[in-house]
Amino acid sequence: MHVKGNVVYIPLLILGFLFLSPFLIMISGSIVSMIMPVGNPFGWVLNESLTLSNFTYILTNSEFLRWIFNSVVITFIPVFSQMFFAAVLGYIFAKKQFPFREGIFWLMMAVIMLPSQLLIIPRYIMFSELGWINTYYPLIVPEIWGILGVFFVRQYMMTLPADLEEAARMDGAGDFTIFFKVMLPLAKPVIATVGTFAFIANWNDLLTPLIFTTSQEMYPVTVGLASLLTKEGNFGVEMAGSVISFIPTFLIFLFFQRYFVKGIALTGMK
Amino acid sequence: MKRKGDRLALVFFLSPALFLYGLFVLYPSIQALWMSMYQWRGLGEKTWIGFGNYERMMSDAIFINAMKITGKYILFQVPLVLIISIGLALTIANLLKSRWLNTYRATVFFPYILPGVAIAMLWATIFNPVSGMLNGLLNAIGLEQYTTEWLGRTETAFGSVVFVNVWSMVGFYTVLILAAILNIPEELTEAAEIDGAGKWQKSFYIILPLLKDVLQVVIVFTLINTLKIFEMPQLLTSGGPNRSTEPISLYIYEQAFQNFNFGYASALGVIFLILIFIASMLTLRLTRGEKV
């Protein structure tokens, strides 16, 4: 490649830096001891002494471990149940015939337009009457399944030729065999994508737990972090909290990236 | 071949989903509609006031301001997200290959996986007027006159919030569009190359029209998400200064959970829903009707 051609990479580099630099600030801020950030953040790691005191402080002086545990509980159950329902309902809405199929599907799809601020008051009243405030239920039960995941799987399965199913039927396969042996293996990347999205959405959600949890020990990480932001006002501690809260999502993303990219390409959005 | 077992399985899997949908979506929606007809402060007496809440909106200057601000978010954020994500996806597809492409795609997607609270913390630090890196950078390169209190002044707060939003949203849509570009069969683009089209010409005349479907999805999603925008204004500025960054969603939240005007907040929510519905339908129609 000649020199002139290389110039076009410069904007890409600058943009890449713009996307990454806040992460670098976050990580370097978490390992130096600073109450207020001072000076050039990219010099911190060189000029300051490195320390893990922010991490130990946050883990001993707040209920951070408990918050992580809460986040794990309210994330993992919905992730697996959402993958399950996305697979099954995606198949049903793509391949099965029954009365009002399209009507039911699009009525459910309309949910993505509903602002959460509209539902949250009636839900708040409902959960208060059920005694669910400050429990895991309001954060888990409404998230058992989601229409967007069903939509992704349905989109993908609609692109699969009918021959596939018919050939299996000729061999005497029933619906369950077709679903488990033919459809599910093919849809794996899409289902992994649904799981990743569900993980990101539930792990990072702020508004719902902000309203339905009122005591510290029921906070998920997001609400806990937000409470630290107003309480501590210590830059290093905030950054350490951000780093810890980010690690699980980061690992999931790294692990599923391959599937994920393929899954997006397979959902028929071309 | 309809067997009885099939029917049973269908009912077995569909009914829990329908039940949850009814309980947590349909029922609360209807309840919100019904509540919007009352004056009610959560505890105590409910008073039926018909369309009183809706009439109150007409003369509620804060509501009208929030509507305008939401419109302003759409006006700036939707085109910015669209242009940047399309441009970025085309650039990545044109310039990068295999490993570099994967790395860059992950980089761009990064902000999307970070919790909003952390995003707000980071950018609040960067924008900080005293110790922030942005002012530090401007000082370092001799542009002192541009240093300011980014989130604290009406002139710059809105732009700053939009910037952070675009920064956090754009990667997701870039990945969607990029997936669609990489899905285009090579024969199509090769044919254009033989006809002597350059890379960027090819992008514009061949690839862009083929992206119609994914772009429609991206436009509708960006629009709905911008209309619903809540976290960043809430965390970065709390809607201020002087409500200059307060969208409708934040005002509803304020009415519901700070003032406990459940009735009025529900009415605002209903209007908000109608607005989102109209905007989505309009976009779907416009983008569908467009000729390629």
Side-chain angles (χ1 to χ4, degrees), chain A residues 73-96:
Chain A
V73 173
I74 62 163
T75 302
F76 273 87
I77 299 171
V79 164
F80 286 104
S81 64
Q82 280 195 26
M83 289 200 287
F84 171 78
F85 274 109
V88 176
L89 294 181
Y91 172 64
I92 288 177
F93 280 113
K95 296 287 181 189
K96 296 280 113 188

Side-chain angles (χ1 to χ4, degrees), chain A residues 172-223:
Chain A
D175 273 336
F176 278 92
T177 325
I178 290 175
F179 176 71
F180 281 109
K181 290 276 158 68
V182 183
M183 296 294 174
L184 209 53
L186 283 169
K188 233 163 65 187
V190 183
I191 294 166
T193 308
V194 171
T196 315
F197 276 141
F199 187 95
I200 296 174
N202 281 294
W203 187 272
N204 290 347
D205 189 19
L206 174 72
L207 179 62
T208 325
L210 190 65
I211 291 174
F212 297 133
T213 59
T214 48
S215 77
Q216 285 237 3
E217 66 262 28
M218 288 311 288
Y219 285 172
V221 171
T222 44
V223 181

Side-chain angles (χ1 to χ4, degrees), chain B residues 41-190:
Chain B
R41 298 183 63 86
L43 302 162
E45 279 299 290
K46 277 194 195 122
T47 327
W48 171 269
I49 50 168
F51 286 97
N53 283 322
Y54 295 90
E55 276 160 32
R56 177 176 161 191
M57 259 176 243
M58 306 289 185
S59 54
D60 181 350
I62 303 173
F63 166 70
I64 293 164
N65 173 64
M67 288 278 274
K68 279 186 195 153
I69 299 290
T70 304
K72 210 168 138 194
Y73 276 115
I74 292 169
L75 206 62
F76 285 93
Q77 213 164 276
V78 176
L80 271 173
V81 169
L82 267 179
I83 292 167
I84 295 173
S85 51
I86 293 172
L88 210 53
L90 284 173
T91 313
I92 294 172
N94 274 344
L95 293 182
L96 302 173
K97 283 206 170 52
S98 60
R99 244 181 62 208
W100 288 108
L101 189 144
N102 287 333
T103 316
Y104 205 85
R105 174 166 46 199
T107 307
V108 169
F109 196 75
F110 239 42
Y112 184 78
I113 58 178
L114 198 66
V117 190
I119 293 179
M121 262 183 199
L122 278 164
W123 284 102
T125 311
I126 295 171
F127 284 135
N128 188 301
V130 183
S131 59
M133 294 98 196
L134 181 58
N135 280 349
L137 180 74
L138 289 172
N139 275 326
I141 57 176
L143 293 170
E144 296 90 354
Q145 68 268 33
Y146 293 107
T147 59
T148 181
E149 209 174 311
W150 295 99
L151 294 170
R153 293 181 51 227
T154 36
E155 292 86 355
T156 49
F158 181 79
S160 307
V161 175
V162 167
F163 175 85
V164 178
N165 268 314
V166 172
W167 179 84
S168 63
M169 282 167 85
V170 99
F172 176 70
Y173 299 110
T174 306
V175 171
L176 272 189
I177 299 169
L178 186 60
I181 295 176
L182 299 177
N183 251 354
I184 295 171
E186 258 174 49
E187 304 93 71
L188 271 175
T189 48
E190 263 166 22

Side-chain angles (χ1 to χ4, degrees), chain A:
Chain A
M1 215 164 285
H2 41 89
V3 183
K4 205 182 126 207
N6 283 342
V7 178
V8 293
Y9 290 95
I10 292 173
L12 270 186
L13 271 176
I14 295 174
L15 267 178
F17 180 72
L18 190 66
F19 279 112
L20 276 186
S21 54
F23 290 91
L24 301 176
I25 295 174
M26 177 172 96
I27 291 165
S28 60
S30 73
I31 50 173
V32 294
S33 182
M34 261 184 210
I35 291 173
M36 281 266 276
V38 197
N40 173 9
F42 304 103
W44 293 341
V45 185
L46 300 173
N47 303 328
E48 307 282 327
S49 53
L50 304 185
T51 165
L52 289 176
S53 62
N54 294 323
F55 289 93
T56 48
Y57 179 86
I58 204 170
L59 292 176
T60 49
N61 285 292
S62 74
E63 304 195 50
F64 213 80
L65 286 174
R66 171 74 198 218
W67 297 340
I68 300 241
F69 174 77
N70 292 340
S71 278
V72 168
V73 173
I74 62 163
T75 302
F76 273 87
I77 299 171
V79 164
F80 286 104
S81 64
Q82 280 195 26
M83 289 200 287
F84 171 78
F85 274 109
V88 176
L89 294 181
Y91 172 64
I92 288 177
F93 280 113
K95 296 287 181 189
K96 296 280 113 188
Q97 294 299 331
F98 56 93
F100 308 117
R101 188 182 77 167
E102 295 301 290
I104 294 174
F105 179 76
W106 288 106
L107 187 68
M108 288 178 172
M109 241 344 240
V111 174
I112 61 167
M113 290 192 288
L114 282 177
S116 41
Q117 284 83 6
L118 178 75
L119 297 180
I120 216 152
I121 304 169
R123 279 187 183 180
Y124 183 80
I125 294 163
M126 185 198 292
F127 296 147
S128 310
E129 281 166 3
L130 289 169
W132 279 12
I133 302 295
N134 248 336
T135 67
Y136 293 128
Y137 297 121
L139 309 175
I140 293 175
V141 183
E143 304 297 324
I144 291 285
W145 78 286
I147 192 65
L148 220 52
V150 178
F151 174 72
F152 280 138
V153 177
R154 170 183 171 270
Q155 287 296 94
Y156 170 63
M157 287 196 175
M158 288 200 318
T159 63
L160 298 176
D163 310 6
L164 215 64
E165 215 175 334
E166 267 150 35
R169 240 175 249 286
M170 292 285 220
D171 294 336
D175 273 336
F176 278 92
T177 325
I178 290 175
F179 176 71
F180 281 109
K181 290 276 158 68
V182 183
M183 296 294 174
L184 209 53
L186 283 169
K188 233 163 65 187
V190 183
I191 294 166
T193 308
V194 171
T196 315
F197 276 141
F199 187 95
I200 296 174
N202 281 294
W203 187 272
N204 290 347
D205 189 19
L206 174 72
L207 179 62
T208 325
L210 190 65
I211 291 174
F212 297 133
T213 59
T214 48
S215 77
Q216 285 237 3
E217 66 262 28
M218 288 311 288
Y219 285 172
V221 171
T222 44
V223 181
L225 259 182
S227 76
L228 280 188
L229 187 64
T230 47
K231 210 179 73 191
E232 295 285 341
N234 181 328
F235 174 69
V237 172
E238 283 167 14
M239 292 301 114
S242 301
V243 169
I244 304 177
S245 73
F246 174 61
I247 290 171
T249 339
F250 181 64
L251 291 179
I252 297 266
F253 174 67
L254 272 194
F255 190 70
F256 283 110
Q257 220 223 95
R258 249 170 357 113
Y259 275 128
F260 183 69
V261 164
K262 207 166 147 202
I264 286 180
L266 284 178
T267 49
M269 294 203 191
K270 30 188 179 190

